[in-house]
Amino acid sequence: MTIDTEGDVRMLELLPPGADHVVAMRVSGRVTADDLQTAIDAIETVKKAHPRVSLYTEIDEMRWMTFTAFLRDLGYALTQVGDLDRYYRAAVLSDRHWVQHLTRLENRLFKTMEIRTFPIRDKPLALEWVRQLPEVPSAASA
């Protein structure tokens, strides 16, 4: 947790992923561009080592995203359009209804990636699901 110069709590915390191809994070408070860059750097590091990346995000008491964070998020998303096949799954853990609606929309937009929302009580199930690796076709079936 970090407190900025205005006294607002801001937080994007990386969590232990439990699998090498997963980037896990918890988002709460106010998200800044620096917070978002931490997540982007973690994703890019995992992409260098693995052909497919999965994301796990716990959304707690996220209040808002700064405008510069929003621009950085949008800019990074646009750079990933040609790389969407590198993303396998995204598990979003939250009891907030707006998160569930946003996830449904993202699932329709990003068809190469499986995106699911899990209620907080299903955290073990969400972690198990996101840690699964995509099946690699065998040479006999290729």
Side-chain angles (χ1 to χ4, degrees):
M1 172 171 49
T2 306
I3 299 176
D4 67 13
T5 56
E6 292 132 25
D8 287 332
V9 175
R10 63 181 178 94
M11 170 94 76
L12 189 148
E13 172 188 10
L14 293 178
L15 303 171
D20 292 342
H21 72 287
V22 176
V23 175
M25 64 194 91
R26 178 180 301 119
V27 181
S28 60
R30 183 176 76 135
V31 177
T32 67
D34 288 342
D35 293 330
L36 196 57
Q37 191 61 50
T38 299
I40 291 169
D41 292 345
I43 292 167
E44 289 301 313
T45 297
V46 171
K47 282 174 64 179
K48 288 177 186 172
H50 297 279
R52 304 284 307 269
V53 177
S54 291
L55 306 172
Y56 170 84
T57 306
E58 294 178 7
I59 298 179
D60 192 7
E61 296 297 323
M62 181 178 164
R63 289 186 306 187
W64 56 291
M65 181 182 285
T66 65
F67 185 66
T68 53
F70 172 75
L71 291 177
R72 184 160 300 166
D73 188 38
L74 181 61
Y76 182 67
L78 291 173
T79 68
Q80 298 305 294
V81 169
D83 238 5
L84 289 178
D85 61 338
R86 298 285 312 275
Y87 295 90
Y88 179 51
R89 288 183 168 171
V92 181
L93 191 72
S94 180
D95 286 334
R96 302 216 176 255
H97 292 290
W98 66 267
V99 172
Q100 295 168 1
H101 295 297
L102 183 61
T103 301
R104 272 191 236 118
L105 175 64
E106 288 176 335
N107 220 3
R108 290 182 184 159
L109 293 173
F110 306 114
K111 297 197 182 282
T112 60
M113 179 181 193
E114 288 182 79
I115 306 170
R116 285 183 56 188
T117 305
F118 294 84
I120 291 172
R121 70 179 178 275
D122 289 344
K123 181 176 180 173
L125 181 63
L127 287 167
E128 178 185 331
W129 181 78
V130 80
R131 289 174 179 161
Q132 293 174 1
L133 285 169
E135 289 187 29
V136 178
S138 67
S141 65

